Amino acid sequence: MVVATGFFDGVHLGHRLVISQLVKAAEARGEESLVITFWPHPRNVLQLEARTFRLLSSLQEKKQMLGNLGVDRVEVLPFTREFGSLTTREYLQEYVIGRFGGTAVVLGYDNRMGSDSISPQDVAATAAGLGLDVIRAEMVEGMPGTAVSSTRIRRLISDGNMTDAASMLGYRYSLYGVVVAGDRIGRTMGFPTANMQLYEPLKLIPGNGVYAVRVNTLGREWKGMCNIGTRPTMSSGNACSVETNIFGFDEDIYGLDIKVTFVRKIRDEIRFSSIDALKEQLSKDRKLCLSLEF
């Protein structure tokens, strides 16, 4: 069994290089490829910024992406405080070798594991000392001179920079959820919206603003525009909503699945002086989104 292990949040380009080498090495050795990952995220369990920390992918999304990359098996270990107390050596010996029969391990350029937080070089040395063959993956750069990492991608998405986030992820970022009832104010203005409730409540929502998006529902895909924020013109509250106007679409989809894929941010969310001013801007937003090639 050739093993790669880590949280793999977002399964970004850096992760994909590790997975590619995992699959190739397993095929060359005539063995199975295995990804060992965890749930929930260690930061949530260990309460490291848990109140504000958000994820790039749900467990289901992560497993699906790993499977699509050709991995034979994905094993999910429950991350608990007790599990988090294991050292690198204990984890490799007890789980990678003992439970899963690992013969080789593929390590990313910054791969760390265990409560001892040893360097990637020491992780490799520990693995080799336990008899594992070690395969090292190189660093993947996103923007010039910038290593691809889940942390950097989270920052880009929080800033609304969906273009650079996509260049590091290797795909456009999406939200998945169910359509729930809203106040229907958008419909009275000629811009009906699908209001989304996320299936994974800890998934990262892009920063407030208006975005050009692609929308999947009812087994089909449309262009649209999505507003994320507190709707300052219509509401005095602070609750954040994700509302999507689907172009050329007028069907009842309450209670149904929806996937919103973000192409680019087109403007910040702002308060307008009147409903008419808001309607005028929404018409401009729709015209701009329809003019984009995506």
Side-chain angles (χ1 to χ4, degrees):
M1 189 76 67
V2 184
V3 178
T5 182
F7 195 80
F8 296 106
D9 190 27
V11 193
H12 57 58
L13 288 180
H15 298 144
R16 287 167 185 253
L17 176 61
V18 172
I19 299 306
S20 174
Q21 295 194 2
L22 168 71
V23 172
K24 288 178 182 177
E27 289 176 351
R29 296 163 66 100
E31 300 181 38
E32 279 192 299
S33 56
L34 167 67
V35 168
I36 305 173
T37 190
F38 322 106
W39 197 266
H41 197 284
R43 287 198 197 181
N44 295 122
V45 175
L46 302 177
Q47 298 181 336
L48 302 173
E49 302 175 336
R51 184 171 296 180
T52 57
F53 180 72
R54 294 295 179 265
L55 299 167
L56 297 173
S57 54
S58 68
L59 179 58
Q60 181 179 354
E61 289 169 336
K62 178 167 62 172
K63 290 171 68 175
Q64 182 175 11
M65 285 189 282
L66 290 170
N68 290 343
L69 293 173
V71 175
D72 292 317
R73 288 175 57 188
V74 177
E75 294 286 347
V76 182
L77 298 178
F79 192 94
T80 62
R81 285 183 174 271
E82 182 181 5
F83 179 83
S85 69
L86 294 173
T87 65
T88 302
R89 183 180 183 86
E90 289 169 339
Y91 171 67
L92 290 171
Q93 196 161 36
E94 183 175 342
Y95 286 91
V96 173
I97 298 172
R99 178 177 295 191
F100 297 112
T103 60
V105 62
V106 182
L107 300 176
Y109 82 96
D110 64 345
N111 215 159
R112 296 172 185 266
M113 61 189 76
S115 60
D116 43 352
S117 297
I118 59 178
S119 70
Q121 292 76 17
D122 287 339
V123 171
T126 301
L130 290 170
L132 290 166
D133 294 332
V134 177
I135 302 162
R136 298 295 300 272
E138 300 300 320
M139 181 181 73
V140 175
E141 287 193 358
M143 293 168 284
T146 304
V148 171
S149 74
S150 298
T151 300
R152 290 188 174 90
I153 295 168
R154 290 187 197 103
R155 190 175 303 123
L156 289 169
I157 292 172
S158 295
D159 291 342
N161 189 344
M162 309 311 294
T163 303
D164 286 342
S167 73
M168 286 194 173
L169 284 167
Y171 58 89
R172 287 173 173 160
Y173 188 72
S174 298
L175 296 178
Y176 296 82
V178 61
V179 179
V180 296
D183 53 22
R184 296 178 179 265
I185 293 177
R187 183 172 293 276
T188 66
M189 297 190 297
F191 294 89
T193 59
N195 298 271
M196 173 187 285
Q197 180 177 308
L198 299 185
Y199 285 134
E200 174 49 69
L202 291 181
K203 182 147 180 179
L204 178 64
I205 297 175
N208 290 4
V210 179
Y211 296 83
V213 298
R214 297 203 75 93
V215 184
N216 290 82
T217 189
L218 297 176
R220 289 173 282 165
E221 185 175 70
W222 290 266
K223 284 186 175 183
M225 59 183 182
C226 177
N227 184 83
I228 296 176
T230 59
R231 305 186 308 163
T233 307
M234 313 300 300
S235 171
S236 59
N238 294 318
C240 180
S241 64
V242 180
E243 299 179 297
T244 304
N245 175 235
I246 309 172
F247 302 152
F249 181 89
D250 189 22
E251 297 187 48
D252 182 357
I253 53 173
Y254 291 126
L256 300 183
D257 293 341
I258 187 171
K259 173 185 176 184
V260 177
T261 300
F262 294 85
V263 178
R264 56 169 278 198
K265 184 177 179 178
I266 61 172
R267 67 171 172 85
D268 291 333
E269 184 185 49
I270 57 177
R271 181 189 297 274
F272 292 91
S273 59
S274 66
I275 298 298
D276 286 340
L278 172 58
K279 289 171 62 176
E280 182 180 353
Q281 182 61 53
L282 290 175
S283 294
K284 293 178 181 177
D285 294 339
R286 179 164 57 188
K287 184 177 180 179
L288 173 58
C289 289
L290 285 169
S291 72
L292 299 176
E293 294 293 332
F294 65 92

